Amino acid sequence: MSKQVSIKDVALHAGTSIATVSRILNDVGYPISETLRSRVETAIRELGYRPNRMAQNLRSKQTQSIGLVVRDISDSYFGAIAQGVTEEASTRGLMSLVCSSKRNPKLEIEYMRLLAQYQVAGVIIAGAGWVDEDFRARLKRTVQDLNKQGVRVISCAPQEVAMPCATVDNSAIGREACRLLSELGHTTFGVLSGDDINYSNLLRVEGFAEAAGAAGAAWFKSTGAFSWQHGYTAVRELLTDHPDITAFFATNDNIAVGALRGLEEMGKRVPDQISVLGVGDIAMAEYTSPALSTFRLPFYDFGATAVKMIFDGHLREDTLVPFSGNYIRRESVGVRKK
Amino acid sequence: MSKQVSIKDVALHAGTSIATVSRILNDVGYPISETLRSRVETAIRELGYRPNRMAQNLRSKQTQSIGLVVRDISDSYFGAIAQGVTEEASTRGLMSLVCSSKRNPKLEIEYMRLLAQYQVAGVIIAGAGWVDEDFRARLKRTVQDLNKQGVRVISCAPQEVAMPCATVDNSAIGREACRLLSELGHTTFGVLSGDDINYSNLLRVEGFAEAAGAAGAAWFKSTGAFSWQHGYTAVRELLTDHPDITAFFATNDNIAVGALRGLEEMGKRVPDQISVLGVGDIAMAEYTSPALSTFRLPFYDFGATAVKMIFDGHLREDTLVPFSGNYIRRESVGVRKK
DNA sequence: TATCAGACAGTAAATGTTTTCTGTGGCCGT
DNA sequence: ACGGCCACAGAAAACATTTACTGTCTGATA
């Protein structure tokens, strides 16, 4: 509980001035004589001095940290993004201030503003836009305010508000999913959708719907949460109402894993009787049984890229770094059997 | 990119002094006349003023943030702890500075010291101790240094160094696991262990070994990473060398899930032929097939409790908040069939 | 009428840095 | 011998706050 040792103490102890100590620490300004330097360095070591970042930040007006607002840090999806952000940040010598919004839109905005008070260099939001007029307006205002203050804001998921994003083309994934299943002979689909209010989800479903329409295929949707639970129950409901469904498209892997489990309990063989296709390629997708076929989304890169965008020069509100989702073929998708 | 509006601007705009604005903001000191207050408040609103936390922290010497060093934020285990920490912190109006150490012991220590520079109120480390003389010495020194500086350090996993921890009794879990499987008639075990250098893991294995010794049971261990991959391959190796194994104890759910998948590919029925028992109860354990029997570890509470410990009064180095692991019976563990 | 208290407002110090500016010698070239 | 430059050291301002202290009125009491 003893007090913080400051640069002043070091200067006193080394018998020199504050300025000199600072110059030595930051290796800036004119060269320092070897004797003085070593005297100061031993003083630093003896006193165990560590610079106070708050003071540094205050003085230099540029902070060594960035902010991250994540929707649910315990979810693999966001965890992987968070990893990308924190690691990329740390290679740049930056700290990450992270807040978990518990899937509360108001809180997400609140946190963005709070982070700005901490003088972060930029704020990254990991969580797709909420399809909601009020949210959109708030987000827009918040982004404008932060930008005006010199704080950049990047999203790791599509937003309905014009702002820089590092994410995938979600509707392309939906289209691709439908195309892929259609080619295997499937004509009746179950779509296991996450929240309708989630913009990423909406885009995936729209993409799928578009392709299904073009192919003249039938599809039925169940909307719920992005959870195992939802996949587990939805698959049963959908199959009861529409027994001719032969393939499921889950808009996220969590849902798909639940679906796999649900189908197994119903005695349906995957992929012989029913195919299941996910999106995300979370770490465990490889170890489900059967192993999940899915689209790999480079979450880590979303996060890492967002950090890079904060620092790499010119950024307009329509700057968009689109990734592509690669289809990972495993075992849960197969040809439709007559 | 316009400059930050400061309290001085507000004071100027409202035609009053800085001190008064500060008093109004913090609602401290003697009462302020209604007219002045409202004048200041509109000024704040008009200018969009937000206090600079760096300056506040510097002045008041008490920061509104805590530090978290997590071993791998994309791993469900640590993600859940991180959630506990960030949420509990945020209910107390604190920010969380999080660093991901990428499973590098040196980096873990490095980050702890770095966080101290940010004047955090406390540092939480989520990651079991490394069984390593050098690491232990460094950790001990670091904890002492930080404490001397007034920064509390709490671990969310057992450490060989004497320090406050919020975690489970890992060896009890190992013992309990063996007892439980023995009661179901199993006498030959495979132990799917994580890194030997991981202290939590070591304790679990030791607990299991102790109980196995007492019961006169045979057991064989495969050591590897805490990963799906390891469970997947180890189960095959162990079963090839020791065909009479009827039950596996995985020291963590990730390993167990991989094992489940490996056994399925080998054509072994779980739990009819082979039982699999995990530790952790990560979110997906419920949705594997068969559903994984495991010990539930309250990760969220580890994190939340660690935050509480930072603020709740007296803390000695041997302060220990032990949780218990509850056995969650699902489908992957069964009676031994002759 | 003088004194005193109460209700405010404002000044200035302090926090730990970085950085600009001002000094102070010594040395070199003319 | 003197002007000027170089190599360095230290003083002080600035950053945005909080807060202890110093005022300044107004009104009441003796």
Side-chain angles (χ1 to χ4, degrees):
Chain A
M1 212 46 170
S2 73
K3 71 179 316 146
Q4 163 94 10
V5 16
S6 82
I7 197 171
K8 196 171 164 186
D9 302 318
V10 174
L12 233 60
H13 197 263
T16 182
S17 77
I18 295 181
T20 304
V21 177
S22 175
R23 271 191 293 263
I24 290 176
L25 276 157
N26 303 322
D27 212 9
V28 83
Y30 49 77
I32 301 283
S33 75
E34 216 25 75
T35 65
L36 183 57
R37 157 167 276 122
S38 73
R39 212 172 49 188
V40 167
E41 275 168 357
T42 54
I44 288 176
R45 216 165 325 109
E46 281 174 22
L47 274 63
Y49 167 72
R50 297 236 151 192
N52 180 328
R53 297 273 175 165
M54 296 298 145
Q56 290 184 321
N57 292 168
L58 177 60
R59 167 64 218 219
S60 54
K61 270 171 169 293
Q62 49 132 61
T63 138
Q64 297 108 339
S65 49
I66 60 167
L68 171 64
V69 182
V70 77
R71 197 159 285 170
D72 175 357
I73 188 87
S74 67
D75 184 318
S76 305
Y77 282 78
F78 301 116
I81 293 178
Q83 178 135 35
V85 171
T86 56
E87 286 186 10
E88 179 66 27
S90 117
T91 65
R92 291 168 185 255
L94 296 158
M95 276 313 216
S96 314
L97 281 160
V98 352
C99 316
S100 186
S101 71
K102 306 193 212 183
R103 300 175 184 275
N104 175 345
K106 283 255 177 65
L107 217 50
E108 274 176 31
I109 304 272
E110 207 41 58
Y111 277 136
M112 290 173 67
R113 292 189 179 273
L114 182 60
L115 283 164
Q117 290 181 37
Y118 277 86
Q119 315 300 117
V120 294
V123 170
I124 295 171
I125 54 180
W130 304 91
V131 180
D132 172 281
E133 184 52 51
D134 184 50
F135 173 80
R136 207 157 47 212
R138 275 170 198 270
L139 178 60
K140 189 170 175 182
R141 232 175 311 128
T142 306
V143 172
Q144 282 172 347
D145 287 353
L146 295 214
N147 284 343
K148 208 185 301 169
Q149 213 179 117
V151 177
R152 289 187 161 175
V153 186
I154 318 275
S155 170
C156 282
Q159 299 286 345
E160 290 187 279
V161 170
M163 65 183 294
C165 294
T167 185
V168 282
D169 182 342
N170 285 280
S171 76
I173 285 181
R175 286 195 301 274
E176 180 66 10
C178 184
R179 199 190 56 72
L180 203 141
L181 293 171
S182 298
E183 278 183 1
L184 293 169
H186 298 281
T187 54
T188 310
F189 303 108
V191 172
L192 306 170
S193 162
D195 312 303
D196 259 345
I197 207 180
N198 181 300
Y199 192 50
S200 291
N201 184 73
L202 192 72
L203 291 172
R204 288 175 201 161
V205 173
E206 278 178 4
F208 191 92
E210 184 190 324
W219 60 282
F220 306 97
K221 186 174 86 163
S222 168
T223 299
F226 273 132
S227 66
W228 285 282
Q229 187 60 47
H230 171 225
Y232 180 76
T233 56
V235 94
R236 168 166 265 127
E237 287 168 16
L238 235 33
L239 223 39
T240 309
D241 292 354
H242 311 283
D244 43 347
I245 289 176
T246 58
F248 283 99
F249 170 55
T251 56
N252 128 334
D253 280 356
N254 288 343
I255 302 176
V257 171
L260 245 29
R261 173 72 182 157
L263 289 168
E264 202 215 359
E265 277 190 17
M266 292 171 73
K268 300 287 184 185
R269 290 189 314 280
V270 177
D272 285 354
Q273 293 174 285
I274 306 272
S275 288
V276 174
L277 176 58
V279 177
D281 194 35
I282 57 178
M284 68 153 296
E286 201 175 342
Y287 295 92
T288 55
S289 80
L292 186 66
S293 290
T294 186
F295 289 90
R296 172 168 301 162
L297 265 34
F299 295 111
Y300 183 97
D301 295 335
F302 294 174
T305 302
V307 175
K308 288 185 194 132
M309 288 168 81
I310 289 180
F311 295 97
D312 294 352
H314 26 277
L315 207 59
R316 294 204 323 283
E317 62 173 28
D318 57 349
T319 303
L320 209 102
V321 179
F323 292 87
S324 59
N326 293 324
Y327 176 58
I328 305 294
R329 183 180 165 183
R330 295 208 182 88
E331 303 164 351
S332 67
V333 169
V335 182
R336 179 193 174 195
K337 305 259 167 61
K338 294 281 142 67
Chain B
M1 211 48 170
S2 73
K3 72 181 314 150
Q4 163 96 11
V5 15
S6 80
I7 197 171
K8 196 171 165 187
D9 302 317
V10 175
L12 232 60
H13 197 263
T16 180
S17 77
I18 295 180
T20 305
V21 177
S22 174
R23 272 191 292 264
I24 290 176
L25 275 156
N26 303 324
D27 212 9
V28 82
Y30 50 77
I32 302 282
S33 74
E34 217 24 75
T35 65
L36 183 57
R37 156 168 274 121
S38 73
R39 213 173 47 188
V40 168
E41 274 168 357
T42 54
I44 288 176
R45 217 166 322 110
E46 281 174 20
L47 272 62
Y49 167 74
R50 297 235 149 192
N52 181 327
R53 297 273 176 164
M54 295 298 143
Q56 290 184 321
N57 292 349
L58 177 60
R59 166 65 217 218
S60 53
K61 270 168 169 297
Q62 50 133 60
T63 140
Q64 298 107 340
S65 49
I66 60 167
L68 170 64
V69 182
V70 78
R71 197 159 286 171
D72 175 356
I73 187 90
S74 68
D75 184 319
S76 306
Y77 282 79
F78 300 116
I81 293 178
Q83 179 136 35
V85 170
T86 55
E87 286 187 9
E88 179 66 27
S90 114
T91 64
R92 290 167 186 256
L94 296 158
M95 276 311 215
S96 314
L97 280 160
V98 351
C99 315
S100 184
S101 71
K102 307 194 212 182
R103 300 175 184 273
N104 174 346
K106 283 255 177 65
L107 217 51
E108 275 177 31
I109 303 273
E110 208 41 58
Y111 277 136
M112 290 173 67
R113 292 188 180 273
L114 182 60
L115 283 164
Q117 290 181 35
Y118 278 86
Q119 316 301 116
V120 294
V123 170
I124 295 171
I125 53 180
W130 304 90
V131 180
D132 172 281
E133 185 51 51
D134 185 49
F135 173 80
R136 205 157 47 211
R138 275 170 198 272
L139 178 61
K140 188 170 175 184
R141 231 174 313 128
T142 306
V143 172
Q144 282 172 348
D145 288 352
L146 296 214
N147 284 342
K148 208 185 301 168
Q149 212 179 119
V151 178
R152 291 188 160 174
V153 186
I154 318 275
S155 170
C156 283
Q159 299 286 345
E160 292 187 277
V161 170
M163 64 183 294
C165 295
T167 185
V168 281
D169 182 343
N170 284 280
S171 75
I173 285 180
R175 287 195 300 274
E176 180 66 10
C178 185
R179 200 189 57 69
L180 202 141
L181 293 171
S182 298
E183 278 182 2
L184 292 169
H186 299 280
T187 54
T188 310
F189 303 107
V191 172
L192 306 170
S193 162
D195 313 304
D196 260 346
I197 207 179
N198 180 299
Y199 192 49
S200 291
N201 184 73
L202 193 72
L203 292 172
R204 287 173 201 163
V205 173
E206 278 177 4
F208 191 92
E210 184 190 323
W219 61 281
F220 306 97
K221 185 174 87 162
S222 168
T223 300
F226 274 132
S227 67
W228 285 283
Q229 187 60 46
H230 170 226
Y232 179 77
T233 57
V235 93
R236 168 166 266 128
E237 288 168 16
L238 236 33
L239 224 38
T240 309
D241 292 354
H242 311 282
D244 43 347
I245 289 176
T246 58
F248 283 98
F249 170 54
T251 56
N252 128 333
D253 281 354
N254 288 343
I255 302 177
V257 170
L260 245 30
R261 174 72 182 157
L263 289 168
E264 202 214 358
E265 279 190 16
M266 292 171 73
K268 301 286 185 184
R269 291 189 313 280
V270 177
D272 285 353
Q273 294 173 285
I274 307 273
S275 288
V276 174
L277 176 58
V279 178
D281 195 34
I282 57 178
M284 68 154 295
E286 201 175 342
Y287 295 92
T288 56
S289 78
L292 185 66
S293 290
T294 186
F295 288 90
R296 172 168 300 163
L297 265 35
F299 295 110
Y300 183 96
D301 295 336
F302 294 174
T305 303
V307 175
K308 288 184 194 130
M309 287 168 82
I310 290 179
F311 295 96
D312 294 353
H314 27 275
L315 206 60
R316 293 205 323 284
E317 61 173 28
D318 57 349
T319 303
L320 208 103
V321 179
F323 292 86
S324 58
N326 293 325
Y327 176 58
I328 305 293
R329 182 177 165 185
R330 294 210 182 86
E331 303 163 352
S332 66
V333 169
V335 182
R336 178 191 172 194
K337 306 259 167 62
K338 295 282 143 65

